[in-house]
């Protein structure tokens, strides 16, 4: 397959773990230049040091909370000032927080999910899209979810945020017609990352149970799919890719060992 991302500048939000980190590794292996963003700066700095040593590609890291609109604006200004406008933006930073029936939902969990998954994606995109428009090119990939297609019990607000990512991906793609910028979305099913540990507020046993009895996706599987999306020829846009473990037929139907 032709490598079209070599030398391209790719910004990955949430690059300190899981899918974002795996994307950074995949893109570095393809010779892309990376801009890595997360709150845990030590982690992206370690990743930067390792990947620049192993893959010899330019990588810059920035501590950033995508919920902080002012900080995101300053970050965009810094990128513009250093002529580091990304060719490709991967809006990956996101999380589930809690798994409670709606009537017992925790306001802090709700704020965290809405502020990160919806408003964080908006903050980053709204700040960077004008730079990409000025450059006359660009590709945005929003990380949605199977949870943006089917609501499951206790998923309520997380589901709502991923339905919103789906609507925003479609809306951004329409509004950016004529700018040279493509907008894509990838919607994974269950991926074995730190996601469930975050959802269960650090309860590792509860998190491990999510992936029991079947083989989930790994972050590298999703990164390979994202690579396919961003590596598509300029006349092609993969608008949405729904990717699940083979055992996960939909949100409700997961073939687990020992279950009928
Ligand atoms: N795992 C799944 O089953 C699954 C399925 C479908 C979709 N997804 C989506 O995939 C994306 C990545 O999740 P993952 O599975 O890779 O989980 P993960 O391993 O927990 O990684 C989440 C990443 O998001 C970053 N992040 C969270 N809040 C942030 C904030 N306020 N500002 C900046 N970065 C932030 C984290 O970095 P810091 O904590 O260092 O900031 C971390 O790098 C999310 O959007 C998630 O909703 C996951």
């Amino acid at each position: 397959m032709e490598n079209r991302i070599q030398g391209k500048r790719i910004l990955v939000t949430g690059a300190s773990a899981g899918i974002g980190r795996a994307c950074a590794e995949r893109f570095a292996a393809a010779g892309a230049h990376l801009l890595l963003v997360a709150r845990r700066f030590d982690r992206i700095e370690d990743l930067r040091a390792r990947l620049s040593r192993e893959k010899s590609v330019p990588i810059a890291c920035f501590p950033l909370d995508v919920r902080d609109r002012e900080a995101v604006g300053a970050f965009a200004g810094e990128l513009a000032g250093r002529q580091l406008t990304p060719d490709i933006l991967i809006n990956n930073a996101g999380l589930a927080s809690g798994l409670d029936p709606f009537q017992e939902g925790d306001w802090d969990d709700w704020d965290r999910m809405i502020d990160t998954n919806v408003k964080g994606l908006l903050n980053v995109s709204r700040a960077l899209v004008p730079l990409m428009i000025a450059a006359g090119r660009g590709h945005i990939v929003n990380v949605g979810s199977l949870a943006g297609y089917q609501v499951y019990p206790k998923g309520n607000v997380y589901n709502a945020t991923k339905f919103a990512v789906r609507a925003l991906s479609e809306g951004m793609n329409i509004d950016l017609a004529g700018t040279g910028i493509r907008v894509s979305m990838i919607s994974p099913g269950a991926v074995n990352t730190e996601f469930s540990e975050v959802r269960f507020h650090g309860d590792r046993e509860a998190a491990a149970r999510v992936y029991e009895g079947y083989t989930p996706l790994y972050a590298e599987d999703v990164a390979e799919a994202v690579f396919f999306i961003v590596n598509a020829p300029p006349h092609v846009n993969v608008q949405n890719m729904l990717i699940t473990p083979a055992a996960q037929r939909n949100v409700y139907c997961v073939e687990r060992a020992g279950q009928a």
Side-chain angles (χ1 to χ4, degrees):
M1 193 195 297
E2 191 179 334
N3 178 356
R4 297 184 185 85
I5 68 164
Q6 184 162 23
K8 291 265 176 70
R9 193 176 296 121
I10 309 186
L11 169 57
V12 183
T13 68
S16 61
I19 294 168
R21 181 172 57 202
C23 284
E25 302 208 8
R26 182 65 185 89
F27 300 153
H33 301 190
L34 299 179
L35 304 167
L36 305 180
V37 160
R39 290 168 302 177
R40 287 170 291 180
F41 186 67
D42 52 334
R43 282 201 182 197
I44 48 176
E45 182 52 30
D46 286 352
L47 183 63
R48 185 201 62 75
R50 181 167 60 78
L51 289 179
S52 36
R53 195 173 56 243
E54 290 172 3
K55 310 293 181 196
S56 304
V57 286
I59 305 177
C61 295
F62 303 85
L64 187 68
D65 185 333
V66 297
R67 295 172 297 182
D68 184 341
R69 188 168 297 155
E70 208 173 307
V72 171
F75 167 65
E78 186 180 345
L79 292 187
R82 291 169 59 182
Q83 301 194 323
L84 289 175
T85 297
D87 301 297
I88 297 169
L89 163 63
I90 312 292
N91 274 319
N92 164 75
L95 77 173
S97 192
L99 188 70
D100 298 306
F102 177 81
Q103 60 276 22
E104 293 167 23
D106 181 281
W107 289 110
D108 289 339
D109 283 337
W110 291 3
D111 284 343
R112 201 168 297 132
M113 290 187 279
I114 293 167
D115 290 350
T116 309
N117 301 357
V118 182
K119 292 168 77 177
L121 182 146
L122 290 172
N123 291 340
V124 173
S125 305
R126 181 64 184 83
L128 291 176
V129 160
L131 306 181
M132 296 167 99
I133 290 176
R137 62 173 191 280
H139 194 167
I140 299 169
V141 182
N142 295 328
V143 179
S145 175
L146 178 59
Y149 282 84
Q150 284 181 301
V151 177
Y152 50 85
K154 304 178 189 173
N156 45 66
V157 174
Y158 180 67
N159 287 117
T161 66
K162 291 300 182 178
F163 271 69
V165 170
R166 188 170 143 208
L168 285 170
S169 301
E170 289 182 22
M172 288 162 71
N173 198 38
I174 294 167
D175 289 349
L176 288 168
T179 64
I181 299 173
R182 293 176 277 182
V183 181
S184 305
M185 175 169 78
I186 181 155
S187 302
V191 195
N192 193 348
T193 61
E194 295 171 20
F195 176 84
S196 291
E197 210 177 307
V198 172
R199 163 168 262 173
F200 294 115
H201 304 303
D203 182 342
R204 290 187 175 189
E205 283 176 22
R209 281 197 290 277
V210 173
Y211 310 110
E212 263 171 17
Y214 69 104
T215 306
L217 292 174
Y218 296 103
E220 292 72 23
D221 300 317
V222 181
E224 195 59 39
V226 176
F227 173 78
F228 179 85
I229 292 170
V230 298
N231 196 48
H235 68 287
V236 175
N237 186 21
V238 181
Q239 292 205 19
N240 185 20
M241 187 187 282
L242 189 60
I243 175 171
T244 65
Q248 186 179 35
R249 304 307 169 115
N250 70 17
V251 159
Y252 302 104
C253 181
V254 181
E255 302 165 64
R256 290 181 195 262
Q259 285 183 4

